[in-house]
């Protein structure tokens, strides 16, 4: 299940388009995740890794950065990483084609909110079971998903540190990407998981302090 | 600086028992606040924001002494011909009270501004020093935010709890036998077909339909289907959505299917014999469908819901319609509709109700679904496609406006006022989410609101106070915007200044809202007494505190000379009258209208405008778009002013009556009505014929001009003495005595008597 998709401009975190899973079953309070997503968009910059995964409770944010735009999706833990990134790649291709040239000129938030219709359609094809079985046909460039850095979103946001592309950590090298369900590595193998994740992240880090903007009415 | 004593005219003493001609020739203008010209010229338009007292009393005790209600009337989303829109990375607001910078702040120097609501000193942000309009630097007071009392901001993403929602429209249609009988479905479907491309929205706009009788019917409109697929859910006790998608579809992509459905809907149910109506379940189903996104639910109902949740009983006793005593059943019979409305409000869903019925439908209960979800109620009593063509025309015109007018989604509104003042009661279709945050899932340009205020702390050392209404909404194209209106008024400390600033129409409008509440919470007779007392107490106070020389008679300041007339008009209004047969739903609808309509239309409803139209001339006419619009004088509402030789137009806001005198000028009959004589005037004429005569042009120009000034369509009824509608026309002759009510003069005498006690 892909619950939330946000597309934002890297330069200043301006949201460009978004889609929120709309059905009765979602019923979850996506408020908190939306807020985190917004903050994350502001923290990312040109030095951030092109792909990363951020752990948020029992969900994962998948993040793809391309051509000064970041594409974020919030998925359930069981949703395969490969598919999440293939989905984001697809969005990027279409979004860039339609709006790439205008991205740097807009000032209003969600200037391309109409892209939501395309996002919803794409989401359906990825969430629909038949597609999941055809995983093999997904872009083979994503073979190296093991190298995608994983971090905890709260820590990223609270420490006010921008994610850096340097020192990518091979946290997941011991785990094969499963077709159906990606399991987080068992605690015993990595020891203090959180600490290990951060070791990589601290190398060559840019410490930018961004203050969290309060929500206005 | 002491405020110069009132304009002489406002305080001119009028003896109501002697002066008969009180009405101005045209509409009663809103009073102008007594402020220095440079402030007043940037002040908020009174059509948008208005106070019952244009001079604010300095203390609560002064206000209490004046015995006039203090409150604000707003029309915040009114269609405006000119609206400055600002896109700025910084929206400048007071650090402490969050007021938006406005024309009434003061700049201490170029870098600091003082809030006019809490007096906090704020820094001027660097970006604000640059003026994008004049492209100059260093003059923050010249920026549009500080030059315009009404302005709109494009909101940055901090003002959104979620990405802006798309326009989502769901239509819930009664298709019982009764409904099909009225023929409304044809009109609805045709109207939507005609206007489908003009529905406000963008490429994300979604649309859906639910029909219902004893079961709920959904329509699968998925792209790719060759025709719409109807899915019937008969478990009305536990409604569920039969399919997860395709019940609300993208309008652009599925337009053909939608149009197919609209063309076939009226025929689908032609032969139905279903008499039951499971409205409650249909609303629950509709809510499930809309709750993930929010949007607008338009409900069309033609009879009392009698099945399943929310079923209602017929509570009206026809024998009590003309009761001179208290009226029962003004409050809801069940809290089902209010509860559902609150749930809807929480999910940004507004419910509009169209009630088209010949019989009692318990609007007092049903109406809650709109009142608390910021929806609107439309009412067409005795709607029938053949028997009531005037209603059909009104329904068509109203529908068109409804479908294509501007709409705002997922909105909230906050009203702030200068320190010392506080707001305590809200009127209008809304939900008060927290102390002063008003939840408006939809906001439409025809909705009015009112609030009551009190003075918590003395306004010492203040020359002026300000009020600001901020409406945060998502446009139909997914833009988040904030519309801000700021009003500034002087503070006074003398009774004569308070009285001279009284806005008689605003006072009447606010009293009407308060009376509706009182009727529902306590009793109708309580409300009636309270209104009469408002006139007695305020004129009494005037007499004691302002008049220096005591004279006989019933004295009022000129600015309040119409007050007793308006109070009498309210007492005779459908909403509050007793002793005259009034259908309960009609009465309840009138009450809703008094609370919901913007002031200008409420006043027409309360005190219709009467004109003689058989002798229209071009003298004093207006020239608008090369058309000459005659300007006949407004007449008193008394049969004394009618003449058998003439024709008279009564404009009551949503309805107009053209009364033809028995010996009416034959010129008028032939050249305007196209008939040879009085006897030939048709029984139910509601359209003036197209005639190529000067008289016809003039009459149509005048009526057209009146109609153009309002967003809804008033139906026109041509009536003769024998007409069934004559009673409705005569009931508006407020100044005359009837079996159950005093004449205006008698009312004045009654007031005088009470005041002298």
């Amino acid at each position: 299940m892909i619950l939330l998709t946000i597309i934002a401009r890297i330069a200043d975190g301006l949201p460009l388009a978004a889609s929120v899973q709309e059905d009765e079953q979602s019923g979850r309070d996506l408020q908190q995740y939306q807020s985190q997503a917004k903050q994350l968009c502001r923290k990312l910059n040109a030095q951030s890794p092109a792909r990363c995964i951020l752990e948020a409770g029992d969900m994962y944010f998948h993040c793809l950065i391309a051509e000064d735009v970041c594409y974020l999706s919030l998925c359930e833990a069981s949703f395969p990483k490969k598919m999440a990134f293939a989905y984001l790649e697809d969005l990027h291709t279409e979004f860039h084609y339609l709006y790439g040239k205008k991205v740097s000129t807009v000032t209003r938030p969600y200037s391309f909110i109409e892209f939501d219709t395309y996002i919803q359609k794409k989401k359906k094809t990825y969430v629909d079971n038949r597609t999941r079985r055809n995983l093999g046909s997904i872009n083979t460039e994503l073979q190296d998903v093991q190298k995608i850095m994983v971090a905890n979103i709260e820590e990223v946001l609270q420490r006010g540190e921008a994610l850096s592309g340097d020192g990518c950590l091979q946290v997941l090298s011991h785990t094969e990407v499963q077709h159906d369900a990606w399991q987080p590595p068992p605690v015993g193998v990595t020891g203090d998981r959180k600490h290990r994740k951060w070791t990589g992240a601290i190398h060559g880090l840019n410490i930018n302090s961004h203050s969290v903007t309060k929500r206005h009415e | 600086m002491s405020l110069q004593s009132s304009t002489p005219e406002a305080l001119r003493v009028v003896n109501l028992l002697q002066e008969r001609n009180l009405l101005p020739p045209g509409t009663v203008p809103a009073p102008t606040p007594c402020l220095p010209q440079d402030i007043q010229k940037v002040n908020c338009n009174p059509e948008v924001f208005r106070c019952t007292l244009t001079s604010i009393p300095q203390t609560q005790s002064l206000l209490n002494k004046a015995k006039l209600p203090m409150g604000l009337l707003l029309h915040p989303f009114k269609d405006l011909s000119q609206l400055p829109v600002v896109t700025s990375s910084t929206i400048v607001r007071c650090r402490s009270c969050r007021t938006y910078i406005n024309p009434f702040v003061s700049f201490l120097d170029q870098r600091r501004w003082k809030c006019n609501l809490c007096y906090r000193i704020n820094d001027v942000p660097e970006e604000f020093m640059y003026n994008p309009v004049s492209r100059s630097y260093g003059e923050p007071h010249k920026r549009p935010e500080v030059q315009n009392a009404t302005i709109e901001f494009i909101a940055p993403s901090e003002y959104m709890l979620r990405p802006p929602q798309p326009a989502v429209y769901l239509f819930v249609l009664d298709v019982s036998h009764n409904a099909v009988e009225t023929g409304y479905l044809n009109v609805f479907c045709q109207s939507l077909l005609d206007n489908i491309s003009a529905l406000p929205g963008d490429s994300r706009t979604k649309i859906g339909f639910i029909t219902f009788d004893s079961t709920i019917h959904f329509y699968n409109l998925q792209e790719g289907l060759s025709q719409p697929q109807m899915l019937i859910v008969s478990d009305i006790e536990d409604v569920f959505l039969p399919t997860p998608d395709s019940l609300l579809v993208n309008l652009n992509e599925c337009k053909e299917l939608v149009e197919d459905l609209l063309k076939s809907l009226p025929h689908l149910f032609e032969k139905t014999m279903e008499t039951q109506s499971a409205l409650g379940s249909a609303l629950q189903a509709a809510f499930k469908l809309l709750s993930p996104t929010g949007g607008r639910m338009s409900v069309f109902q033609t009879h009392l819901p009698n099945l399943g949740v929310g079923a209602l009983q017929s509570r009206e006793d026809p024998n009590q319609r003309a009761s001179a005593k208290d009226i029962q059943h003004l409050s809801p019979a069940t809290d089902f509709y209010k509860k559902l409305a609150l749930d809807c409000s929480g999910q940004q869903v507004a419910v509009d109700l169209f009630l088209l019925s010949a019989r009692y439908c318990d609007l007092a209960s049903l109406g809650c679904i709109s009142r608390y979800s910021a929806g609107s109620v439309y009412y067409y009593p005795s709607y029938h496609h053949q028997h009531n063509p005037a209603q059909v025309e009104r329904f068509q015109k109203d529908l068109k406006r409804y479908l294509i007018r501007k709409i705002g989604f997922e909105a909230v509104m906050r009203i702030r006022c200068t320190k010392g003042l506080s707001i305590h009661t809200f009127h209008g279709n809304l939900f008060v989410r927290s102390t002063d945050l008003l939840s408006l899932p939809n906001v439409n340009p025809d909705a009015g609101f009112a609030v009551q205020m009190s003075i918590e702390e003395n306004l010492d050392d203040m020359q002026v106070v300000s009020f600001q209404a901020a409406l945060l909404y998502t446009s139909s194209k997914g833009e988040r915007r904030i519309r801000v209106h700021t009003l500034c008024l002087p503070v006074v400390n003398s009774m004569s200044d308070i009285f001279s600033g009284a806005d008689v129409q605003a006072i009447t409008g606010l009293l009407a809202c308060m009376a509706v509440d009182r009727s529902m919470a306590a009793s109708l007779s309580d409300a009636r007494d309270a209104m009469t007392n408002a006139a007695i107490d305020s004129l009494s106070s005037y007499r004691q505190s302002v008049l220096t020389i005591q004279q006989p008679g019933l004295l009022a300041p000129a600015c309040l000379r119409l007050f007793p007339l308006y109070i009498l008009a309210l007492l005779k209004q459908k909403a509050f009258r007793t002793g005259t047969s009034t259908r309960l739903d009609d009465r309840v609808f009138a009450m809703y209208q008094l609370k919901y309509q913007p002031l200008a239309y409420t006043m027409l409803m309360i005190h219709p405008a009467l004109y003689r139209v058989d002798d229209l001339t071009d003298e004093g006419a207006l020239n608008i778009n090369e058309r000459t619009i005659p300007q006949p004088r407004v007449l008193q509402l008394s049969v004394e002013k009618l003449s058998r030789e003439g024709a008279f137009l009564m404009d009551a806001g949503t309805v107009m009556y053209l009364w033809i005198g028995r010996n009416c000028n034959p010129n008028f009959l032939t050249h305007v009505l196209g008939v040879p004589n009085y006897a030939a005037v048709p029984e139910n004429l509601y359209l003036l014929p197209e005639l190529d005569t000067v008289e016809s042009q003039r009459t149509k120009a005048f009526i057209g001009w009146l109609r153009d000034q309002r967003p809804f369509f008033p139906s026109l009824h041509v009536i003769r003495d024998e007409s069934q509608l004559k009673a409705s026309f005569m009931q508006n002759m407020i100044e005359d005595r009837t079996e159950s009510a005093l004449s205006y003069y008698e009312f004045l005498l009654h007031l005088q008597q009470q005041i002298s006690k």
Side-chain angles (χ1 to χ4, degrees):
Chain A
M1 269 293 237
I2 302 172
L3 294 147
L4 191 59
T5 308
I6 295 193
I7 302 175
R9 184 165 69 189
I10 288 288
D12 55 1
L14 182 75
L16 300 168
S19 187
V20 181
Q21 182 61 23
E22 323 160 340
D23 59 43
E24 251 196 299
Q25 285 146 347
S26 288
R28 301 156 208 266
D29 189 12
L30 291 172
Q31 207 47 62
Q32 181 206 355
Y33 297 111
Q34 286 189 50
S35 177
Q36 285 178 333
K38 267 193 207 167
Q39 291 175 52
L40 182 62
C41 292
R42 280 186 222 123
K43 291 198 190 313
L44 294 168
N45 60 30
Q47 279 74 48
S48 303
R51 289 194 185 83
C52 66
I53 298 175
L54 295 169
E55 188 193 1
D58 54 359
M59 312 270 203
Y60 287 82
F61 276 107
H62 302 83
C63 176
L64 173 75
I65 299 180
E67 325 260 8
D68 303 321
V69 175
C70 75
Y71 301 81
L72 274 183
S73 69
L74 176 74
C75 305
E76 284 168 336
S78 54
F79 196 82
K81 274 203 325 278
K82 242 189 188 169
M83 297 220 346
F85 282 101
Y87 163 71
L88 291 177
E89 284 284 354
D90 272 348
L91 290 187
H92 161 61
T93 310
E94 182 72 8
F95 186 83
H96 186 71
Y97 170 69
L98 289 174
Y99 306 117
K101 295 204 182 97
K102 299 190 213 156
V103 167
S104 53
T105 64
V106 294
T107 49
R108 192 167 55 77
Y110 299 105
S111 294
F112 309 115
I113 193 73
E114 292 181 278
F115 192 62
D116 179 16
T117 318
Y118 182 86
I119 296 176
Q120 296 213 17
K121 287 207 179 112
K122 258 302 139 188
K123 225 187 339 185
K124 268 204 195 120
T125 64
Y126 277 88
V127 172
D128 169 18
N129 282 328
R130 265 166 284 157
T131 314
R132 291 167 69 123
R133 280 184 233 124
N134 295 336
L135 210 59
S137 61
I138 284 179
N139 193 340
T140 50
E141 277 178 38
L142 293 173
Q143 287 303 328
D144 58 353
V145 288
Q146 295 98 314
K147 295 215 181 80
I148 295 175
M149 188 179 115
V150 184
N152 178 285
I153 192 166
E154 276 301 323
E155 293 183 11
V156 170
L157 295 179
Q158 275 166 32
R159 288 196 189 190
E161 287 152 358
L163 290 164
S164 166
D166 299 351
C168 250
L169 183 68
Q170 290 203 19
V171 174
L172 308 168
S173 56
H174 62 277
T175 313
E176 281 303 312
V177 175
Q178 301 299 321
H179 284 195
D180 294 323
W182 179 83
Q183 300 294 330
V187 175
V189 175
T190 55
D192 182 346
R193 236 165 93 223
K194 282 194 180 148
H195 180 70
R196 281 285 287 271
K197 280 186 201 150
W198 274 110
T199 317
I202 288 169
H203 284 317
L205 201 58
N206 293 328
I207 299 177
N208 300 320
S209 55
H210 295 277
S211 53
V212 177
T213 323
K214 286 204 191 105
R215 200 179 71 225
H216 301 262
E217 270 134 14
Chain B
M1 175 189 102
S2 72
L3 202 67
Q4 188 172 17
S5 227
S6 46
T7 24
E9 174 53 26
L11 272 191
R12 175 175 64 87
V13 181
V14 176
N15 184 351
L16 296 174
L17 292 175
Q18 284 176 354
E19 270 192 54
R20 290 287 341 257
N21 298 323
L22 301 174
L23 295 173
T27 26
V28 176
T32 308
C34 204
L35 288 166
Q37 219 214 7
D38 58 334
I39 298 182
Q40 183 48 32
K41 79 169 197 281
V42 290
N43 214 346
C44 198
N45 184 337
E47 287 180 355
V48 170
F49 212 168
R50 200 156 158 174
C51 187
T52 52
L53 303 173
T54 54
S55 297
I56 306 289
Q58 194 175 60
T59 67
Q60 182 67 33
S61 64
L62 269 176
L63 174 61
N64 289 341
K65 203 167 162 196
K67 299 272 193 276
L68 291 167
M70 187 164 81
L72 299 166
L73 286 85
L74 319 92
H75 189 179
F77 206 53
K78 181 181 157 78
D79 285 326
L80 296 169
S81 49
Q82 269 190 326
L83 176 65
V85 180
V86 173
T87 312
S88 178
S89 50
T90 1
I91 296 185
V92 181
R93 299 174 70 172
C94 175
R95 267 187 303 171
S96 135
C97 68
R98 312 303 294 140
T99 296
Y100 295 81
I101 198 169
N102 60 76
F104 313 107
V105 302
S106 31
F107 283 90
L108 303 182
D109 48 52
Q110 279 186 3
R111 295 287 176 164
R112 292 178 304 159
W113 64 279
K114 188 172 184 189
C115 176
N116 50 328
L117 266 63
C118 74
Y119 304 115
R120 173 82 181 227
I121 297 175
N122 295 282
D123 292 322
V124 177
E126 179 60 33
E127 308 86 79
F128 204 75
M129 295 298 291
Y130 175 72
N131 186 340
V133 174
S134 64
R135 314 231 179 134
S136 61
Y137 183 89
E139 291 174 314
H141 60 280
K142 289 200 177 157
R143 273 191 61 129
E145 295 95 323
V146 190
Q147 290 293 314
N148 294 282
T150 288
I151 194 160
E152 188 150 281
F153 296 95
I154 304 289
S157 56
E158 299 84 68
Y159 288 78
M160 307 179 212
L161 291 177
R162 59 178 188 178
Q165 67 161 94
V168 185
Y169 301 115
L170 178 61
F171 297 93
V172 182
L173 305 159
D174 176 357
V175 292
S176 61
H177 174 77
N178 192 60
V180 172
E181 254 292 291
T182 64
Y184 92 89
L185 200 52
N186 287 299
V187 174
F188 167 76
C189 291
Q190 190 55 52
S191 192
L192 186 50
L193 275 168
D194 291 342
N195 295 295
I196 200 147
S197 308
L199 289 181
D202 57 12
S203 65
R204 299 187 301 151
T205 303
K206 289 183 142 182
I207 194 167
F209 301 87
I210 291 178
T211 56
F212 67 98
D213 37 40
S214 59
T215 53
I216 319 288
H217 329 127
F218 299 86
Y219 296 87
N220 183 344
L221 296 166
Q222 186 170 52
E223 199 186 352
L225 283 179
S226 58
Q227 54 176 327
Q229 188 189 52
M230 178 154 98
L231 304 162
I232 302 179
V233 172
S234 42
D235 184 1
I236 59 169
E237 296 301 325
D238 187 14
V239 196
F240 60 94
L241 298 178
T243 156
D245 324 285
S246 318
L247 297 177
L248 270 180
V249 294
N250 185 296
L251 177 56
N252 279 353
E253 292 170 3
C254 305
K255 196 176 270 196
E256 263 186 46
L257 274 172
V258 170
E259 288 172 341
D260 278 347
L261 179 62
L262 289 171
K263 287 178 192 149
S264 48
L265 261 181
H267 308 299
L268 270 179
F269 299 99
E270 246 165 12
K271 308 238 187 322
T272 183
M273 295 314 284
E274 289 272 354
T275 52
Q276 294 186 304
S277 179
L279 175 65
S281 308
L283 293 175
Q284 286 177 329
F287 171 61
K288 276 190 201 287
L289 198 45
L290 281 175
S291 57
T293 45
R296 182 182 76 186
M297 194 194 299
S298 314
V299 181
F300 294 78
Q301 178 71 2
T302 66
H303 65 129
L304 198 66
N306 52 12
L307 183 65
V309 284
L312 298 170
Q313 308 294 327
S314 180
R315 297 191 286 169
E316 185 191 25
D317 178 1
N319 297 329
Q320 290 302 310
R321 280 184 191 155
S323 168
K325 292 177 295 182
D326 258 314
I327 306 292
Q328 304 295 319
H329 309 308
L330 293 172
S331 301
T334 161
D335 60 4
F336 172 78
Y337 295 95
K338 177 175 180 180
K339 275 198 177 141
L340 187 53
L342 296 182
D343 288 342
C344 286
S345 184
Q347 299 296 114
Q348 307 300 350
V349 175
V351 184
D352 296 324
L353 176 66
F354 289 78
L355 195 58
L356 308 112
S357 166
R359 289 194 293 259
Y360 178 69
C361 282
D362 198 352
L363 184 55
S365 302
L366 286 183
C368 295
I369 196 74
S370 299
R371 285 173 60 202
Y372 296 99
S373 67
S376 24
V377 177
Y378 289 82
Y379 181 57
Y380 304 92
S382 312
Y383 182 91
H384 193 277
H385 67 111
Q386 277 174 337
H387 307 322
N388 209 333
Q391 285 279 42
V392 175
E393 191 200 19
R394 188 163 78 90
F395 180 50
Q396 272 169 328
K397 297 255 163 61
D398 284 349
L399 260 183
K400 179 171 181 171
R401 162 77 179 165
Y402 174 75
L403 292 170
I404 67 177
R405 73 183 174 192
K406 192 165 163 146
I407 183 170
F409 295 98
E410 48 186 1
V412 288
M413 182 161 70
R414 228 196 202 109
I415 305 170
R416 296 178 169 91
C417 35
T418 300
K419 187 162 172 301
L421 292 167
S422 88
I423 293 176
H424 57 81
T425 308
F426 299 85
H427 299 283
N429 292 0
L430 50 78
F431 174 57
V432 186
R433 194 158 286 288
S434 65
T435 12
D436 55 351
L437 189 65
L438 309 176
S439 190
L440 304 170
N442 282 180
V443 54
N444 78 69
D446 303 330
F449 304 91
V451 301
Q452 288 167 243
M453 296 190 289
S454 55
I455 305 168
E456 305 273 283
E457 294 165 23
N458 292 350
L459 306 172
D460 301 325
D461 307 322
M462 292 179 199
Q463 281 158 15
V464 296
V465 289
S466 302
F467 309 91
Q468 189 176 79
L471 176 65
L472 172 62
Y473 71 99
T474 297
S475 80
S476 56
K477 294 187 166 20
E479 285 184 3
R480 196 79 170 141
R481 290 175 168 231
I482 312 164
R483 188 169 298 193
V484 180
H485 304 286
T486 315
L487 175 66
C488 180
L489 293 176
V491 176
V492 297
N493 61 5
S494 80
M495 290 295 284
S496 60
D497 283 336
I498 295 172
F499 273 93
S500 79
D503 180 340
V504 70
Q505 295 201 324
I507 289 171
T508 305
L510 185 61
L511 278 176
C513 291
M514 291 161 70
V516 170
D517 281 0
R518 184 75 76 92
S519 304
M520 294 187 181
S523 72
L524 186 62
S525 49
D526 254 13
R528 289 174 59 90
D529 287 343
M531 287 190 281
T532 310
N533 289 339
I536 294 169
D537 293 344
S538 57
L539 291 182
S540 212
S541 168
Y542 169 72
R543 195 187 184 92
Q544 284 163 21
S545 318
V546 181
L547 280 186
T548 39
I549 305 167
Q550 291 305 320
Q551 305 160 30
L554 179 60
L555 306 170
C559 57
L560 280 178
R561 71 191 187 279
L562 296 172
F563 195 36
L565 178 61
Y566 286 157
I567 294 291
L568 184 64
L570 277 174
L571 292 172
K572 293 189 176 186
Q573 224 289 324
K574 250 186 209 169
F576 304 116
R577 70 189 184 194
T578 51
T580 309
S581 179
T582 310
R583 292 172 56 186
L584 193 50
D585 278 349
D586 287 3
R587 180 187 293 277
V588 170
F589 180 66
M591 289 184 165
Y592 284 175
Q593 289 300 86
L594 289 173
K595 287 195 77 162
Y596 171 80
Q597 285 184 117
L599 187 62
Y601 315 131
T602 312
M603 287 315 301
L604 273 176
M605 186 182 153
I606 295 172
H607 188 275
L610 181 68
Y611 309 94
R612 182 162 183 164
V613 293
D614 64 292
D615 58 357
L616 292 175
T617 66
D618 284 347
E619 199 184 307
L622 292 179
N623 208 318
I624 298 178
N625 296 336
E626 292 171 14
R627 298 193 77 193
T628 313
I629 319 281
Q631 299 286 291
R633 223 198 137 86
V634 173
L635 303 170
Q636 281 158 270
L637 289 166
S638 166
V639 293
E640 220 184 271
K641 295 296 173 183
L642 297 179
S643 154
R644 288 233 167 91
E645 277 79 41
F648 294 81
L649 180 75
M650 178 186 280
D651 179 5
T654 50
V655 64
M656 291 182 172
Y657 302 104
L658 181 55
W659 182 85
I660 314 294
R662 211 167 262 287
N663 303 328
C664 181
N665 180 351
N667 223 21
F668 186 81
L669 293 173
T670 49
H671 293 173
V672 179
L673 296 182
V675 295
N677 53 45
Y678 180 78
V681 175
E683 189 51 52
N684 290 319
L685 187 60
Y686 65 97
L687 279 176
L688 291 183
E690 291 288 337
L691 294 170
D692 195 18
T693 63
V694 173
E695 291 85 348
S696 175
Q697 309 282 17
R698 277 209 194 106
T699 313
K700 284 178 153 233
F702 179 58
I703 295 179
W705 175 71
L706 289 175
R707 275 175 163 160
D708 284 343
Q709 287 169 45
R710 60 205 72 159
F712 50 83
F713 182 79
S715 46
L716 174 71
H717 299 273
V718 178
I719 53 182
R720 315 181 318 186
D721 263 0
E722 303 80 22
S723 171
Q724 283 179 327
L725 290 172
K726 184 187 168 190
S728 306
F729 176 77
M730 289 303 176
Q731 278 161 10
N732 283 323
M733 291 302 185
I734 293 161
E735 299 199 16
D736 298 333
R737 171 189 240 255
T738 64
E739 285 170 353
S740 49
L742 300 174
S743 72
Y744 173 57
Y745 194 76
E746 286 167 342
F747 184 63
L748 291 179
L749 290 176
H750 170 71
L751 294 181
Q752 183 195 33
Q753 192 191 45
Q754 296 299 309
I755 290 170
S756 319
K757 275 191 183 168

